Amino acid sequence: MTLPRNPTRAVRIGSVVIGAHHPIAVQSMTATRTQDIDATVEQVQALCQAGADVVRIAVDSTADALALAEIRRQVSANLSVDLQENYRLAEQVAPHVDKIRYNPGHLYHHQRDKPWQDKVRYLAAVAREHDCAIRIGVNCGSVDPAHKSRYEPQDSISPMLDSAWEHCELLDAIEGTRYCVSLKDSDPTNVIEANRRFAERRPEVPLHLGVTEAGMPPDGIIKTRIALEQLISVGIGDTIRVSLTVPNWRKAEEILVGRQILADIAAGRVRSVVKRDANSLNLISCPSCSRVENEAFIDLAQRVQEMTQYARQHALTIAVMGCRVNGPGETDDADLGLWCGPNFVNLKRAGQLVGAFSYDEILPRLRAELDDLIASRAAG
């Protein structure tokens, strides 16, 4: 969908071109396990049929990379790969995808003594060799510690921007690198502010927009709509993704929601005048994706939403995360956080671990902690 935007450089992702006044592209991400080739192929095809321009697949191991090669043989979609924490997998996956996404905050996980600049130069070389675009994917829950330490804890935007600008400057110096940037947060107001500040300084760089861990419908749709409407309406944004906590068979809804939001903006039907109440309970949960280590996470998130209805008038944040990638950071920033593993759920309160509980035990324990937190605040 073509909407008026600021001039940007053009970046090709397979058969899709973003930036430079090209139509806004819609991206999605598979929620199946990458090594389940049949299920992943089926989901890629379903997402494309629903209108996805680019489909992202997570790769976390050599086995995932081998599966990706077979998936590529069976689908014609524009594929993006999420390298997770192991940037060294780039050589194995680049021949099979059109875009490589890396997170600056995860580059330090492997080969910690190696400068991040060398790692990015390696990624850029691999991308150029295999004609791939790159996305610098900066996420509020996993910001590069070197940048995070320079700012007050309540300032989550400045470290993200510093990291993004730093990586842009390095990629600019590497001839032939095609790249875009994303700056994502679970709070739509932070997404708006971060992307506005980035676009003001680097208006030529294409931006991928989204609210990470937006949560379940309808709240997740409302949060996403607020951010996308406020940014796209003023000419910021070249690709979008809607991230909802829904079962695998409902993943196509993310595409439909994204297309509807774009259509509404183009028609002038901007709805975000109705803002989310900042003085009420804020439930964030990551989207269902292939990183989820136990699919019971999705059901748990829905049960948490139902159980916490009695606390809706309290200004608290509860995070329900489904994997080790986003779990630690996002639950640290919440009043109460659930980081779901394969067999147990780690419960945190104000960033401190309360304990690990089974999926059957966690809900009553969460309620006890929530009641105690409400009582403590009421007592001053």
Side-chain angles (χ1 to χ4, degrees):
M1 181 163 300
T2 301
L3 293 164
R5 295 195 302 290
N6 296 327
T8 62
R9 65 178 64 163
V11 171
R12 177 173 53 81
I13 305 169
S15 63
V16 172
V17 179
I18 64 170
H21 300 290
H22 286 274
I24 293 177
V26 179
Q27 179 175 298
S28 187
M29 183 174 179
T30 55
T32 52
R33 294 190 180 280
T34 302
Q35 293 175 45
D36 188 342
I37 294 171
D38 292 342
T40 303
V41 166
E42 182 179 358
Q43 187 156 87
V44 169
Q45 292 172 336
L47 293 171
C48 289
Q49 186 175 4
D53 296 301
V54 180
V55 178
R56 186 172 123 197
I57 298 176
V59 170
D60 198 27
S61 65
T62 297
D64 285 344
L66 292 173
L68 178 66
E70 179 57 32
I71 293 166
R72 170 79 283 174
R73 283 190 282 270
Q74 296 188 38
V75 302
S76 59
N78 299 308
L79 294 182
S80 172
V81 68
D82 184 354
L83 287 179
Q84 305 293 301
E85 299 174 348
N86 191 349
Y87 78 97
R88 293 174 295 179
L89 290 170
E91 285 184 75
Q92 298 179 52
V93 302
H96 314 298
V97 298
D98 304 290
K99 181 171 72 170
I100 294 172
R101 182 264 188 184
Y102 78 89
N103 182 339
H106 285 162
L107 287 179
Y108 65 90
H109 285 293
H110 291 257
Q111 297 179 313
R112 297 194 175 210
D113 294 335
K114 188 173 185 177
W116 67 265
Q117 293 91 338
D118 290 349
K119 298 174 183 179
V120 173
R121 290 188 187 98
Y122 159 78
L123 290 172
V126 171
R128 287 199 314 277
E129 180 183 354
H130 296 283
D131 195 25
C132 295
I134 284 178
R135 170 149 68 97
I136 305 168
V138 187
N139 190 298
C140 66
S142 51
V143 180
D144 186 336
H147 288 291
K148 196 171 183 179
S149 63
R150 298 173 190 165
Y151 295 92
E152 294 298 323
Q154 62 270 23
D155 183 0
S156 62
I157 296 175
S158 295
M160 292 173 63
L161 287 167
D162 282 356
S163 182
W165 287 327
E166 178 179 69
H167 281 254
C168 287
E169 289 173 4
L170 178 57
L171 290 180
D172 286 341
I174 302 173
E175 185 177 354
T177 304
R178 309 193 311 269
Y179 72 88
C180 62
V181 170
S182 64
L183 297 147
K184 292 190 177 182
D185 196 290
S186 57
D187 184 337
T189 59
N190 287 346
V191 173
I192 294 167
E193 178 66 15
N195 282 277
R196 280 181 172 168
R197 287 168 58 181
F198 182 92
E200 182 178 350
R201 178 164 166 174
R202 298 296 306 267
E204 81 285 3
V205 176
L207 280 168
H208 171 74
L209 306 180
V211 177
T212 189
E213 295 105 26
M216 290 160 282
D219 289 349
I221 296 174
I222 294 170
K223 292 178 183 178
T224 302
R225 178 176 284 275
I226 289 171
L228 297 187
E229 286 183 347
Q230 297 302 315
L231 290 168
I232 294 173
S233 295
V234 296
I236 298 172
D238 300 276
T239 67
I240 67 167
R241 179 183 168 208
V242 177
S243 302
L244 301 175
T245 308
V246 293
N248 286 5
W249 60 272
R250 292 177 55 187
K251 289 300 288 182
E253 290 181 23
E254 296 177 333
I255 305 298
L256 302 178
V257 169
R259 292 287 178 195
Q260 184 61 59
I261 292 173
L262 290 179
D264 287 344
I265 296 170
R269 296 189 296 267
V270 177
R271 305 178 184 179
S272 60
V273 291
V274 181
K275 298 187 181 295
R276 185 177 62 83
D277 185 0
N279 294 315
S280 64
L281 184 70
N282 180 30
L283 179 61
I284 64 173
S285 59
C286 56
S288 45
C289 78
S290 59
R291 293 192 301 247
V292 170
E293 298 176 282
N294 189 326
E295 290 185 8
F297 148 77
I298 299 169
D299 178 62
L300 175 61
Q302 293 171 337
R303 289 189 291 141
V304 169
Q305 184 183 51
E306 295 167 0
M307 185 273 286
T308 57
Q309 289 301 302
Y310 75 96
R312 290 182 63 182
Q313 301 308 312
H314 295 273
L316 298 168
T317 295
I318 299 177
V320 188
M321 298 292 113
C323 76
R324 70 180 188 278
V325 175
N326 292 325
E330 293 292 352
T331 50
D332 280 349
D333 294 335
D335 295 295
L336 292 169
L338 305 182
W339 169 19
C340 302
N343 302 307
F344 296 94
V345 180
N346 300 289
L347 173 61
K348 290 184 178 181
R349 178 166 168 171
Q352 300 300 311
L353 183 65
V354 175
F357 304 91
S358 71
Y359 279 80
D360 292 332
E361 298 170 329
I362 186 62
L363 209 60
R365 185 56 192 262
L366 173 65
R367 176 154 191 160
E369 292 293 332
L370 178 57
D371 288 343
D372 184 66
L373 186 55
I374 291 172
S376 297
R377 291 195 173 188

